[in-house]
Amino acid sequence: LGPAADEDIPPTWFTEWAELGNADFSLWDEGEQVRQFRWAIGFTDNDNRFHPEEEAAVRRLQSSLGLVVTGRVNEDLAKRIGEAPRENR
């Protein structure tokens, strides 16, 4: 994945946002949780909007993990990212 995965950061950023009622996000959503997720999957600019490029990356990742392909970031996806062995990220 991206720089955050290289630092072995678990997806606590997502669960913290989920507790605030931001349990998922998708195309054109914006906010700090989106910026942090974008960073985790390798988009290193400081944009906080979920673009078609990120949606496509999420769809590919969901497919490769055997999850339902929705293009939405949700708690299932965040947990799977956090559980992935470092060498697979």
Side-chain angles (χ1 to χ4, degrees):
L1 294 169
D6 291 339
E7 295 171 19
D8 219 17
I9 298 172
T12 56
W13 51 267
F14 186 83
T15 52
E16 290 167 7
W17 284 102
E19 289 171 6
L20 295 173
N22 298 319
D24 66 352
F25 50 90
S26 60
L27 190 61
W28 303 120
D29 285 347
E30 59 184 42
E32 181 62 18
Q33 75 278 22
V34 174
R35 187 190 65 75
Q36 290 179 15
F37 183 77
R38 290 181 81 252
W39 179 261
I41 65 170
F43 292 89
T44 58
D45 57 36
N46 205 23
D47 193 353
N48 69 349
R49 183 168 285 213
F50 197 74
H51 297 278
E53 295 84 0
E54 291 85 30
E55 182 186 49
V58 166
R59 286 178 179 281
R60 288 190 303 271
L61 185 55
Q62 288 170 325
S63 178
S64 72
L65 293 172
L67 299 173
V68 174
V69 177
T70 63
R72 296 185 70 87
V73 176
N74 59 28
E75 191 170 357
D76 268 350
L77 181 60
K79 285 180 180 177
R80 294 293 295 273
I81 291 169
E83 294 167 356
R86 185 181 174 108
E87 62 273 6
N88 293 339
R89 294 184 190 181

